Amino acid sequence: MNTILISSAKLVSPHHPLDGEVVDILIEKGLVSKVSSKVELNDQKAVVIDGSGCVVSAGFFDLHANFGEPGLETKEDIVTGTRAAAAGGYTAVAVYPNTNPPLHSRSEVALVVNAAKGSAVDVHPIGAISKKREGKELAEIYDMQTVGAIAFSDGNHAVQQAGLMSRALLYSKGIDALIISFAEDDSVAGGNQMNEGEVSTYLGMKGKPNLAESLMVSRDLFLAEYNDAPIHFTCISTAESVELIKNAKKKGIRVTCDVAAHNLVFSDEEVQGFDSNYKVNPPLRTKKDIDALLQGLSDGTIDAVVSQHTPHEVEFKNVEFQIAKDGIIGLQTTLPLLVRAGLDAEAIVQKLAIAPREIVGQPVPALTSGSAANLVLFSVDEQWTFDAQSNRSKSSNSPLLCAELRGKVKAIINNGLLVENK
């Protein structure tokens, strides 16, 4: 790597002595060499990045992304997925086991780890809780942990058997692993298409009630408390879930949770146009739920925000709403959505860079002299167009495609590599 100087950027790093100050950051051979109000540069070959009006922080870490590799590479492979992640400001992503075969043994986990080597974005596999993600028999959790799995989830298959989830929590506690719950009771959700409420009634569509999520959150909180084990809920979407988790934290249960960025901005009213790019799971909820989610972010009940990046080929989305697959691509649009939701730079860094790493026990990059350079430079004010030219994903299933967005990632640095967004 060449010598790099990031000049005149506001540093957001809560435990750094210069937090909140406008600084220059000098990076040499992949290491942070100097951080100060002014750095004199003698290297004529150095890359200089103007950070005026921008924020520099530890690189973002996505706790919930879906790549297709292995088996579903036509949706997204690790190369295109990490390109999209880099463009979105991420220096690390946790990839879910929604693959074919799923990440349910050491061989699939090791494949992902090895395929991602040499990238500017670290890829951390989330191993499956159960074999084939069928919810019947525990997968080899310890084996997967030894080759790089940082947590365990059945992805978009919620674990329906309480006994299996209880055993998973107990087993994971013994090896200091984290179980991630995707909360949906299938018997209540019924495979329906959107949120149950006034809009679904108006459209004549069967809806998924909030109860399908809150029942499962309640169950898994009981199981975590019973086993005295940590649990993380991903992509919560309802006011009831926020309240349940808030009370559990007060009670001392070891629980954390995240929310998908699109659930903070879009409501079920978007579905009235039957645009399948608004079809996600959990579904877009009501404005009352959005208000509760934003309040949960503000008061610390919700620890992190995720992209829930879920790419699909055009033939799975450019169809009638009822038969379209759930999910949108989100790695490049999470920052703009948080800006739209009203989060300031400090909250964005906390929810995208710091808390996600703390949840899965990964070190937070220090941005101090001598440390490995792992950072993102971004603007909360600059506007850009998310279109076919700027999209780095292999897929294009996003309601924000061709939209003018505010909040742009300028560059990331990680693993001795610089990736700039021109």
Side-chain angles (χ1 to χ4, degrees):
M1 175 192 271
N2 293 327
T3 299
I4 299 172
L5 177 67
I6 297 175
S7 66
S8 305
K10 179 184 176 182
L11 177 65
V12 176
S13 181
H15 300 297
H16 198 286
L18 295 177
D19 177 41
E21 301 291 327
V22 175
V23 300
D24 292 353
I25 301 179
L26 182 64
I27 297 156
E28 298 177 297
K29 297 180 180 178
L31 301 177
V32 175
S33 178
K34 191 174 183 180
V35 182
S36 71
S37 59
K38 185 64 177 176
V39 173
E40 297 296 333
L41 187 62
N42 298 317
D43 188 346
Q44 300 299 317
K45 296 182 180 179
V47 176
V48 179
I49 302 174
D50 182 8
S52 300
C54 296
V55 172
V56 64
S57 74
F60 299 155
F61 188 115
D62 191 16
L63 272 179
H64 189 143
N66 294 287
F67 294 171
E69 195 169 347
L72 302 173
E73 289 85 356
T74 52
K75 298 180 186 293
E76 194 88 276
D77 56 41
I78 288 173
V79 171
T80 59
T82 52
R83 283 177 186 163
Y90 294 98
T91 56
V93 293
V95 292
Y96 270 57
N98 305 326
T99 52
N100 185 26
L103 309 182
H104 65 163
S105 76
R106 63 182 295 136
S107 59
E108 292 87 15
V109 171
L111 182 150
V112 170
V113 170
N114 291 327
K117 287 180 178 176
S119 171
V121 179
D122 301 316
V123 178
H124 301 286
I126 303 289
I129 292 173
S130 66
K131 292 181 178 179
K132 298 181 181 179
R133 297 194 303 132
E134 291 177 342
K136 297 177 181 178
E137 183 181 357
L138 276 182
E140 298 293 341
I141 290 175
Y142 179 70
D143 270 4
M144 289 187 281
Q145 186 186 50
T146 62
V147 292
I150 61 166
F152 299 90
S153 169
D154 268 357
N156 58 2
H157 289 178
V159 177
Q160 300 300 306
Q161 289 188 16
L164 181 70
M165 179 59 93
S166 184
R167 290 191 294 276
L169 286 163
L170 183 62
Y171 186 84
S172 65
K173 174 186 171 183
I175 60 172
D176 196 25
L178 178 67
I179 294 296
I180 298 177
S181 171
F182 178 74
E184 183 174 270
D185 187 314
D186 287 349
S187 66
V188 177
N192 295 327
Q193 308 297 315
M194 64 173 295
N195 178 62
E196 180 183 88
E198 291 181 9
V199 178
S200 65
T201 303
Y202 169 72
L203 296 176
M205 294 176 64
K206 292 182 177 179
K208 291 184 180 181
N210 287 18
L211 183 66
E213 179 174 301
S214 53
L215 270 177
M216 196 63 87
V217 169
S218 181
R219 184 203 76 174
D220 287 352
L221 285 172
F222 274 118
L223 293 176
E225 182 180 26
Y226 177 77
N227 290 290
D228 189 25
I231 190 167
H232 178 79
F233 291 95
T234 189
C235 298
I236 67 166
S237 65
T238 70
E240 293 88 343
S241 294
V242 175
E243 189 66 20
L244 285 165
I245 292 168
K246 183 177 183 177
N247 292 334
K249 286 188 171 187
K250 288 179 180 178
K251 195 175 179 181
I253 298 172
R254 292 188 285 164
V255 56
T256 53
C257 65
D258 65 56
V259 61
H262 48 260
N263 281 102
L264 296 171
V265 174
F266 302 126
S267 75
D268 58 355
E269 293 181 5
E270 308 289 349
V271 179
Q272 293 181 78
F274 293 104
D275 181 350
S276 63
N277 285 318
Y278 287 109
K279 187 180 181 183
V280 291
N281 193 33
L284 302 177
R285 302 290 187 180
T286 66
K287 290 180 178 178
K288 177 185 175 183
D289 292 305
I290 292 175
D291 289 342
L293 293 169
L294 290 170
Q295 179 58 41
L297 274 179
S298 178
D299 65 24
T301 301
I302 301 176
D303 302 272
V305 177
V306 298
S307 73
Q308 203 189 13
H309 180 80
T310 307
H312 288 299
E313 303 92 334
V314 64
E315 59 264 30
F316 290 107
K317 294 298 277 188
N318 192 21
V319 291
E320 293 86 349
F321 191 92
Q322 287 85 348
I323 62 173
K325 293 287 188 181
D326 297 321
I328 61 175
I329 56 173
L331 284 166
Q332 289 180 248
T333 55
T334 298
L335 173 63
L337 285 175
L338 292 192
V339 171
R340 187 182 297 188
L343 275 68
D344 60 20
E346 288 73 19
I348 289 170
V349 171
Q350 176 64 31
K351 301 303 181 183
L352 292 187
I354 298 172
R357 288 182 169 90
E358 293 175 342
I359 289 167
V360 291
Q362 296 290 310
V364 178
L367 300 184
T368 54
S369 181
S371 64
N374 182 332
L375 58 84
V376 59
L377 181 71
F378 66 94
S379 167
V380 295
D381 295 315
E382 186 170 341
Q383 294 188 329
W384 62 290
T385 302
F386 182 50
D387 55 18
Q389 186 175 355
S390 58
N391 180 24
R392 298 289 180 265
S393 172
K394 188 176 284 190
S395 297
S396 58
N397 51 302
S398 170
L400 294 170
L401 205 66
C402 300
E404 186 82 11
L405 305 176
R406 187 164 71 90
K408 182 177 181 181
V409 171
K410 308 288 283 186
I412 66 161
I413 298 174
N414 187 37
N415 296 332
L417 300 172
L418 165 67
V419 180
E420 289 188 85
N421 275 347
K422 298 297 187 180

